[in-house]
PDB file of all heavy atoms in Angstrom:
ATOM      1  N   LEU A 171      20.394 -20.205  60.770  1.00  0.00           N
ATOM      2  CA  LEU A 171      19.570 -21.405  60.707  1.00  0.00           C
ATOM      3  C   LEU A 171      20.374 -22.386  59.761  1.00  0.00           C
ATOM      4  O   LEU A 171      20.769 -22.035  58.715  1.00  0.00           O
ATOM      5  CB  LEU A 171      18.190 -21.065  59.987  1.00  0.00           C
ATOM      6  CG  LEU A 171      17.101 -22.042  60.016  1.00  0.00           C
ATOM      7  CD1 LEU A 171      16.602 -22.361  61.509  1.00  0.00           C
ATOM      8  CD2 LEU A 171      15.957 -21.628  59.133  1.00  0.00           C
ATOM      9  N   PRO A 172      20.383 -23.630  60.198  1.00  0.00           N
ATOM     10  CA  PRO A 172      20.969 -24.682  59.296  1.00  0.00           C
ATOM     11  C   PRO A 172      19.984 -24.997  58.217  1.00  0.00           C
ATOM     12  O   PRO A 172      18.854 -25.024  58.445  1.00  0.00           O
ATOM     13  CB  PRO A 172      21.287 -25.763  60.196  1.00  0.00           C
ATOM     14  CG  PRO A 172      20.349 -25.636  61.330  1.00  0.00           C
ATOM     15  CD  PRO A 172      20.036 -24.218  61.512  1.00  0.00           C
ATOM     16  N   LEU A 173      20.510 -25.463  56.982  1.00  0.00           N
ATOM     17  CA  LEU A 173      19.630 -25.914  55.947  1.00  0.00           C
ATOM     18  C   LEU A 173      20.387 -27.067  55.216  1.00  0.00           C
ATOM     19  O   LEU A 173      21.549 -26.961  55.014  1.00  0.00           O
ATOM     20  CB  LEU A 173      19.484 -24.666  54.991  1.00  0.00           C
ATOM     21  CG  LEU A 173      18.583 -24.894  53.849  1.00  0.00           C
ATOM     22  CD1 LEU A 173      17.146 -25.093  54.243  1.00  0.00           C
ATOM     23  CD2 LEU A 173      18.631 -23.671  52.889  1.00  0.00           C
ATOM     24  N   VAL A 174      19.625 -28.096  54.916  1.00  0.00           N
ATOM     25  CA  VAL A 174      20.256 -29.221  54.170  1.00  0.00           C
ATOM     26  C   VAL A 174      19.737 -29.200  52.791  1.00  0.00           C
ATOM     27  O   VAL A 174      18.515 -29.250  52.512  1.00  0.00           O
ATOM     28  CB  VAL A 174      19.836 -30.549  54.967  1.00  0.00           C
ATOM     29  CG1 VAL A 174      20.324 -31.811  54.160  1.00  0.00           C
ATOM     30  CG2 VAL A 174      20.341 -30.523  56.394  1.00  0.00           C
ATOM     31  N   PHE A 175      20.677 -29.384  51.871  1.00  0.00           N
ATOM     32  CA  PHE A 175      20.405 -29.587  50.476  1.00  0.00           C
ATOM     33  C   PHE A 175      20.794 -30.914  50.112  1.00  0.00           C
ATOM     34  O   PHE A 175      21.979 -31.175  50.115  1.00  0.00           O
ATOM     35  CB  PHE A 175      21.216 -28.504  49.571  1.00  0.00           C
ATOM     36  CG  PHE A 175      20.472 -27.159  49.403  1.00  0.00           C
ATOM     37  CD1 PHE A 175      20.850 -26.155  50.133  1.00  0.00           C
ATOM     38  CD2 PHE A 175      19.356 -27.088  48.503  1.00  0.00           C
ATOM     39  CE1 PHE A 175      20.235 -24.904  49.955  1.00  0.00           C
ATOM     40  CE2 PHE A 175      18.746 -25.870  48.372  1.00  0.00           C
ATOM     41  CZ  PHE A 175      19.161 -24.810  49.060  1.00  0.00           C
ATOM     42  N   ASP A 176      19.909 -31.771  49.683  1.00  0.00           N
ATOM     43  CA  ASP A 176      20.361 -33.108  49.280  1.00  0.00           C
ATOM     44  C   ASP A 176      20.149 -33.382  47.828  1.00  0.00           C
ATOM     45  O   ASP A 176      20.736 -34.305  47.315  1.00  0.00           O
ATOM     46  CB  ASP A 176      19.570 -34.069  50.179  1.00  0.00           C
ATOM     47  CG  ASP A 176      18.064 -33.987  49.906  1.00  0.00           C
ATOM     48  OD1 ASP A 176      17.597 -32.985  49.360  1.00  0.00           O
ATOM     49  OD2 ASP A 176      17.300 -34.779  50.474  1.00  0.00           O
ATOM     50  N   ASP A 177      19.386 -32.647  47.096  1.00  0.00           N
ATOM     51  CA  ASP A 177      19.091 -32.884  45.690  1.00  0.00           C
ATOM     52  C   ASP A 177      19.019 -31.643  44.824  1.00  0.00           C
ATOM     53  O   ASP A 177      18.696 -31.753  43.670  1.00  0.00           O
ATOM     54  CB  ASP A 177      17.812 -33.608  45.550  1.00  0.00           C
ATOM     55  CG  ASP A 177      16.567 -32.772  46.103  1.00  0.00           C
ATOM     56  OD1 ASP A 177      16.846 -31.775  46.828  1.00  0.00           O
ATOM     57  OD2 ASP A 177      15.459 -33.084  45.736  1.00  0.00           O
ATOM     58  N   ALA A 178      19.352 -30.510  45.353  1.00  0.00           N
ATOM     59  CA  ALA A 178      19.198 -29.212  44.628  1.00  0.00           C
ATOM     60  C   ALA A 178      20.010 -29.112  43.403  1.00  0.00           C
ATOM     61  O   ALA A 178      19.670 -28.376  42.521  1.00  0.00           O
ATOM     62  CB  ALA A 178      19.444 -28.034  45.484  1.00  0.00           C
ATOM     63  N   PHE A 179      21.069 -29.861  43.281  1.00  0.00           N
ATOM     64  CA  PHE A 179      21.995 -29.698  42.104  1.00  0.00           C
ATOM     65  C   PHE A 179      22.043 -31.008  41.184  1.00  0.00           C
ATOM     66  O   PHE A 179      22.912 -31.057  40.327  1.00  0.00           O
ATOM     67  CB  PHE A 179      23.460 -29.411  42.585  1.00  0.00           C
ATOM     68  CG  PHE A 179      23.463 -28.250  43.592  1.00  0.00           C
ATOM     69  CD1 PHE A 179      24.050 -28.409  44.848  1.00  0.00           C
ATOM     70  CD2 PHE A 179      22.866 -27.014  43.326  1.00  0.00           C
ATOM     71  CE1 PHE A 179      24.026 -27.507  45.789  1.00  0.00           C
ATOM     72  CE2 PHE A 179      22.913 -26.023  44.227  1.00  0.00           C
ATOM     73  CZ  PHE A 179      23.500 -26.237  45.472  1.00  0.00           C
ATOM     74  N   ALA A 180      21.117 -31.884  41.376  1.00  0.00           N
ATOM     75  CA  ALA A 180      21.147 -33.154  40.593  1.00  0.00           C
ATOM     76  C   ALA A 180      21.070 -32.920  39.124  1.00  0.00           C
ATOM     77  O   ALA A 180      21.673 -33.692  38.322  1.00  0.00           O
ATOM     78  CB  ALA A 180      20.029 -34.102  41.080  1.00  0.00           C
ATOM     79  N   HIS A 181      20.393 -31.954  38.641  1.00  0.00           N
ATOM     80  CA  HIS A 181      20.114 -31.730  37.265  1.00  0.00           C
ATOM     81  C   HIS A 181      20.844 -30.510  36.726  1.00  0.00           C
ATOM     82  O   HIS A 181      20.369 -29.801  35.728  1.00  0.00           O
ATOM     83  CB  HIS A 181      18.590 -31.708  36.931  1.00  0.00           C
ATOM     84  CG  HIS A 181      17.910 -32.997  37.254  1.00  0.00           C
ATOM     85  ND1 HIS A 181      18.026 -34.124  36.532  1.00  0.00           N
ATOM     86  CD2 HIS A 181      17.144 -33.250  38.330  1.00  0.00           C
ATOM     87  CE1 HIS A 181      17.373 -35.116  36.983  1.00  0.00           C
ATOM     88  NE2 HIS A 181      16.775 -34.627  38.110  1.00  0.00           N
ATOM     89  N   SER A 182      21.877 -30.053  37.309  1.00  0.00           N
ATOM     90  CA  SER A 182      22.642 -28.830  36.971  1.00  0.00           C
ATOM     91  C   SER A 182      23.963 -29.283  36.241  1.00  0.00           C
ATOM     92  O   SER A 182      24.730 -30.186  36.699  1.00  0.00           O
ATOM     93  CB  SER A 182      22.944 -28.046  38.107  1.00  0.00           C
ATOM     94  OG  SER A 182      21.753 -27.609  38.823  1.00  0.00           O
ATOM     95  N   ASP A 183      24.286 -28.571  35.156  1.00  0.00           N
ATOM     96  CA  ASP A 183      25.509 -28.782  34.465  1.00  0.00           C
ATOM     97  C   ASP A 183      26.602 -28.191  35.253  1.00  0.00           C
ATOM     98  O   ASP A 183      26.391 -27.366  36.131  1.00  0.00           O
ATOM     99  CB  ASP A 183      25.359 -28.295  33.008  1.00  0.00           C
ATOM    100  CG  ASP A 183      25.165 -26.713  32.932  1.00  0.00           C
ATOM    101  OD1 ASP A 183      25.840 -25.951  33.679  1.00  0.00           O
ATOM    102  OD2 ASP A 183      24.151 -26.518  32.189  1.00  0.00           O
ATOM    103  N   PRO A 184      27.859 -28.575  35.006  1.00  0.00           N
ATOM    104  CA  PRO A 184      28.985 -28.070  35.771  1.00  0.00           C
ATOM    105  C   PRO A 184      29.112 -26.570  35.824  1.00  0.00           C
ATOM    106  O   PRO A 184      29.408 -25.949  36.875  1.00  0.00           O
ATOM    107  CB  PRO A 184      30.295 -28.714  35.084  1.00  0.00           C
ATOM    108  CG  PRO A 184      29.721 -29.902  34.421  1.00  0.00           C
ATOM    109  CD  PRO A 184      28.339 -29.529  34.009  1.00  0.00           C
ATOM    110  N   GLU A 185      28.776 -25.793  34.709  1.00  0.00           N
ATOM    111  CA  GLU A 185      28.787 -24.414  34.715  1.00  0.00           C
ATOM    112  C   GLU A 185      27.746 -23.836  35.635  1.00  0.00           C
ATOM    113  O   GLU A 185      28.055 -22.953  36.397  1.00  0.00           O
ATOM    114  CB  GLU A 185      28.646 -23.829  33.276  1.00  0.00           C
ATOM    115  CG  GLU A 185      28.639 -22.360  33.159  1.00  0.00           C
ATOM    116  CD  GLU A 185      28.389 -21.877  31.788  1.00  0.00           C
ATOM    117  OE1 GLU A 185      28.788 -22.515  30.858  1.00  0.00           O
ATOM    118  OE2 GLU A 185      27.730 -20.775  31.676  1.00  0.00           O
ATOM    119  N   ARG A 186      26.611 -24.390  35.645  1.00  0.00           N
ATOM    120  CA  ARG A 186      25.531 -23.813  36.464  1.00  0.00           C
ATOM    121  C   ARG A 186      25.829 -24.169  37.947  1.00  0.00           C
ATOM    122  O   ARG A 186      25.470 -23.466  38.852  1.00  0.00           O
ATOM    123  CB  ARG A 186      24.178 -24.550  36.075  1.00  0.00           C
ATOM    124  CG  ARG A 186      22.940 -23.977  36.684  1.00  0.00           C
ATOM    125  CD  ARG A 186      22.641 -22.521  36.452  1.00  0.00           C
ATOM    126  NE  ARG A 186      22.599 -22.091  35.129  1.00  0.00           N
ATOM    127  CZ  ARG A 186      21.565 -22.069  34.343  1.00  0.00           C
ATOM    128  NH1 ARG A 186      20.488 -22.510  34.754  1.00  0.00           N
ATOM    129  NH2 ARG A 186      21.617 -21.606  33.098  1.00  0.00           N
ATOM    130  N   VAL A 187      26.440 -25.294  38.283  1.00  0.00           N
ATOM    131  CA  VAL A 187      26.819 -25.630  39.598  1.00  0.00           C
ATOM    132  C   VAL A 187      27.683 -24.466  40.284  1.00  0.00           C
ATOM    133  O   VAL A 187      27.583 -24.096  41.367  1.00  0.00           O
ATOM    134  CB  VAL A 187      27.501 -26.986  39.821  1.00  0.00           C
ATOM    135  CG1 VAL A 187      28.075 -27.147  41.117  1.00  0.00           C
ATOM    136  CG2 VAL A 187      26.506 -28.053  39.470  1.00  0.00           C
ATOM    137  N   GLN A 188      28.649 -23.938  39.371  1.00  0.00           N
ATOM    138  CA  GLN A 188      29.547 -22.891  39.869  1.00  0.00           C
ATOM    139  C   GLN A 188      28.711 -21.645  40.166  1.00  0.00           C
ATOM    140  O   GLN A 188      28.917 -20.984  41.186  1.00  0.00           O
ATOM    141  CB  GLN A 188      30.577 -22.501  38.839  1.00  0.00           C
ATOM    142  CG  GLN A 188      31.642 -23.635  38.582  1.00  0.00           C
ATOM    143  CD  GLN A 188      32.305 -23.978  39.901  1.00  0.00           C
ATOM    144  OE1 GLN A 188      32.787 -23.088  40.591  1.00  0.00           O
ATOM    145  NE2 GLN A 188      32.351 -25.246  40.164  1.00  0.00           N
ATOM    146  N   LYS A 189      27.667 -21.476  39.408  1.00  0.00           N
ATOM    147  CA  LYS A 189      26.810 -20.257  39.757  1.00  0.00           C
ATOM    148  C   LYS A 189      25.964 -20.549  40.902  1.00  0.00           C
ATOM    149  O   LYS A 189      25.651 -19.625  41.671  1.00  0.00           O
ATOM    150  CB  LYS A 189      25.829 -19.984  38.413  1.00  0.00           C
ATOM    151  CG  LYS A 189      26.701 -19.450  37.245  1.00  0.00           C
ATOM    152  CD  LYS A 189      25.814 -19.251  36.132  1.00  0.00           C
ATOM    153  CE  LYS A 189      26.631 -18.729  34.985  1.00  0.00           C
ATOM    154  NZ  LYS A 189      25.838 -18.464  33.751  1.00  0.00           N
ATOM    155  N   LEU A 190      25.521 -21.803  41.091  1.00  0.00           N
ATOM    156  CA  LEU A 190      24.779 -22.130  42.344  1.00  0.00           C
ATOM    157  C   LEU A 190      25.559 -21.864  43.563  1.00  0.00           C
ATOM    158  O   LEU A 190      25.048 -21.561  44.653  1.00  0.00           O
ATOM    159  CB  LEU A 190      24.289 -23.634  42.251  1.00  0.00           C
ATOM    160  CG  LEU A 190      23.126 -23.798  41.198  1.00  0.00           C
ATOM    161  CD1 LEU A 190      22.961 -25.285  40.942  1.00  0.00           C
ATOM    162  CD2 LEU A 190      21.820 -23.187  41.726  1.00  0.00           C
ATOM    163  N   LEU A 191      26.840 -22.111  43.444  1.00  0.00           N
ATOM    164  CA  LEU A 191      27.747 -21.795  44.625  1.00  0.00           C
ATOM    165  C   LEU A 191      27.715 -20.412  45.028  1.00  0.00           C
ATOM    166  O   LEU A 191      27.670 -20.090  46.224  1.00  0.00           O
ATOM    167  CB  LEU A 191      29.141 -22.283  44.379  1.00  0.00           C
ATOM    168  CG  LEU A 191      29.329 -23.889  44.182  1.00  0.00           C
ATOM    169  CD1 LEU A 191      30.746 -24.144  43.823  1.00  0.00           C
ATOM    170  CD2 LEU A 191      28.958 -24.562  45.486  1.00  0.00           C
ATOM    171  N   ARG A 192      27.543 -19.538  44.059  1.00  0.00           N
ATOM    172  CA  ARG A 192      27.389 -18.016  44.454  1.00  0.00           C
ATOM    173  C   ARG A 192      26.089 -17.830  45.171  1.00  0.00           C
ATOM    174  O   ARG A 192      26.028 -17.026  46.083  1.00  0.00           O
ATOM    175  CB  ARG A 192      27.305 -17.219  43.060  1.00  0.00           C
ATOM    176  CG  ARG A 192      28.686 -17.217  42.361  1.00  0.00           C
ATOM    177  CD  ARG A 192      28.630 -16.230  41.141  1.00  0.00           C
ATOM    178  NE  ARG A 192      29.526 -16.780  40.159  1.00  0.00           N
ATOM    179  CZ  ARG A 192      29.431 -16.692  38.928  1.00  0.00           C
ATOM    180  NH1 ARG A 192      28.377 -16.088  38.384  1.00  0.00           N
ATOM    181  NH2 ARG A 192      30.262 -17.206  38.045  1.00  0.00           N
ATOM    182  N   MET A 193      25.100 -18.621  44.859  1.00  0.00           N
ATOM    183  CA  MET A 193      23.812 -18.475  45.553  1.00  0.00           C
ATOM    184  C   MET A 193      23.926 -18.902  46.985  1.00  0.00           C
ATOM    185  O   MET A 193      23.466 -18.315  47.924  1.00  0.00           O
ATOM    186  CB  MET A 193      22.728 -19.258  44.859  1.00  0.00           C
ATOM    187  CG  MET A 193      21.358 -19.123  45.408  1.00  0.00           C
ATOM    188  SD  MET A 193      20.040 -19.848  44.358  1.00  0.00           S
ATOM    189  CE  MET A 193      20.369 -21.615  44.468  1.00  0.00           C
ATOM    190  N   LEU A 194      24.682 -20.013  47.164  1.00  0.00           N
ATOM    191  CA  LEU A 194      24.892 -20.512  48.560  1.00  0.00           C
ATOM    192  C   LEU A 194      25.806 -19.509  49.387  1.00  0.00           C
ATOM    193  O   LEU A 194      25.610 -19.331  50.505  1.00  0.00           O
ATOM    194  CB  LEU A 194      25.591 -21.881  48.467  1.00  0.00           C
ATOM    195  CG  LEU A 194      24.666 -23.003  47.928  1.00  0.00           C
ATOM    196  CD1 LEU A 194      25.448 -24.352  47.790  1.00  0.00           C
ATOM    197  CD2 LEU A 194      23.362 -23.184  48.733  1.00  0.00           C
ATOM    198  N   ASP A 195      26.826 -18.964  48.577  1.00  0.00           N
ATOM    199  CA  ASP A 195      27.637 -17.950  49.331  1.00  0.00           C
ATOM    200  C   ASP A 195      26.764 -16.736  49.782  1.00  0.00           C
ATOM    201  O   ASP A 195      26.861 -16.241  50.926  1.00  0.00           O
ATOM    202  CB  ASP A 195      28.606 -17.381  48.392  1.00  0.00           C
ATOM    203  CG  ASP A 195      29.844 -18.360  48.154  1.00  0.00           C
ATOM    204  OD1 ASP A 195      30.000 -19.263  49.019  1.00  0.00           O
ATOM    205  OD2 ASP A 195      30.562 -18.211  47.191  1.00  0.00           O
ATOM    206  N   LEU A 196      25.755 -16.329  49.023  1.00  0.00           N
ATOM    207  CA  LEU A 196      24.901 -15.264  49.399  1.00  0.00           C
ATOM    208  C   LEU A 196      24.134 -15.645  50.664  1.00  0.00           C
ATOM    209  O   LEU A 196      24.000 -14.892  51.608  1.00  0.00           O
ATOM    210  CB  LEU A 196      23.952 -14.872  48.315  1.00  0.00           C
ATOM    211  CG  LEU A 196      22.811 -13.871  48.661  1.00  0.00           C
ATOM    212  CD1 LEU A 196      23.500 -12.487  48.996  1.00  0.00           C
ATOM    213  CD2 LEU A 196      21.898 -13.687  47.476  1.00  0.00           C
ATOM    214  N   ALA A 197      23.556 -16.937  50.623  1.00  0.00           N
ATOM    215  CA  ALA A 197      22.789 -17.372  51.809  1.00  0.00           C
ATOM    216  C   ALA A 197      23.606 -17.412  53.080  1.00  0.00           C
ATOM    217  O   ALA A 197      23.175 -17.059  54.134  1.00  0.00           O
ATOM    218  CB  ALA A 197      22.250 -18.813  51.463  1.00  0.00           C
ATOM    219  N   ALA A 198      24.866 -17.896  52.918  1.00  0.00           N
ATOM    220  CA  ALA A 198      25.831 -17.969  54.014  1.00  0.00           C
ATOM    221  C   ALA A 198      26.113 -16.549  54.574  1.00  0.00           C
ATOM    222  O   ALA A 198      26.106 -16.352  55.857  1.00  0.00           O
ATOM    223  CB  ALA A 198      27.135 -18.600  53.722  1.00  0.00           C
ATOM    224  N   SER A 199      26.203 -15.579  53.703  1.00  0.00           N
ATOM    225  CA  SER A 199      26.458 -14.246  54.215  1.00  0.00           C
ATOM    226  C   SER A 199      25.242 -13.631  54.871  1.00  0.00           C
ATOM    227  O   SER A 199      25.351 -12.706  55.636  1.00  0.00           O
ATOM    228  CB  SER A 199      26.876 -13.313  52.975  1.00  0.00           C
ATOM    229  OG  SER A 199      25.708 -13.037  52.193  1.00  0.00           O
ATOM    230  N   ARG A 200      24.083 -14.266  54.716  1.00  0.00           N
ATOM    231  CA  ARG A 200      22.785 -13.870  55.368  1.00  0.00           C
ATOM    232  C   ARG A 200      22.511 -14.697  56.591  1.00  0.00           C
ATOM    233  O   ARG A 200      21.344 -14.612  57.090  1.00  0.00           O
ATOM    234  CB  ARG A 200      21.694 -13.866  54.367  1.00  0.00           C
ATOM    235  CG  ARG A 200      21.913 -12.767  53.292  1.00  0.00           C
ATOM    236  CD  ARG A 200      20.709 -12.826  52.282  1.00  0.00           C
ATOM    237  NE  ARG A 200      20.737 -11.764  51.305  1.00  0.00           N
ATOM    238  CZ  ARG A 200      20.033 -11.733  50.362  1.00  0.00           C
ATOM    239  NH1 ARG A 200      19.044 -12.593  50.109  1.00  0.00           N
ATOM    240  NH2 ARG A 200      20.118 -10.678  49.447  1.00  0.00           N
ATOM    241  N   GLY A 201      23.430 -15.528  57.041  1.00  0.00           N
ATOM    242  CA  GLY A 201      23.273 -16.268  58.206  1.00  0.00           C
ATOM    243  C   GLY A 201      22.894 -17.721  58.164  1.00  0.00           C
ATOM    244  O   GLY A 201      22.613 -18.381  59.183  1.00  0.00           O
TER     245      GLY A 201
END
């Protein structure tokens, strides 16, 4: 299923953005 994120990272500091990428990698591995 495609999913669009347009604002999910607007209030995240650079360190947290790197951690958020791990969350997106998990989602991608789940389809």
Side-chain angles (χ1 to χ4, degrees):
L171 190 71
L173 183 65
V174 175
F175 273 103
D176 57 352
D177 63 343
F179 310 125
H181 298 287
S182 299
D183 58 50
E185 180 182 326
R186 188 63 51 90
V187 168
Q188 292 302 311
K189 292 177 180 181
L190 287 165
L191 293 175
R192 291 183 210 149
M193 185 171 65
L194 293 177
D195 285 339
L196 175 62
S199 73
R200 294 179 173 173

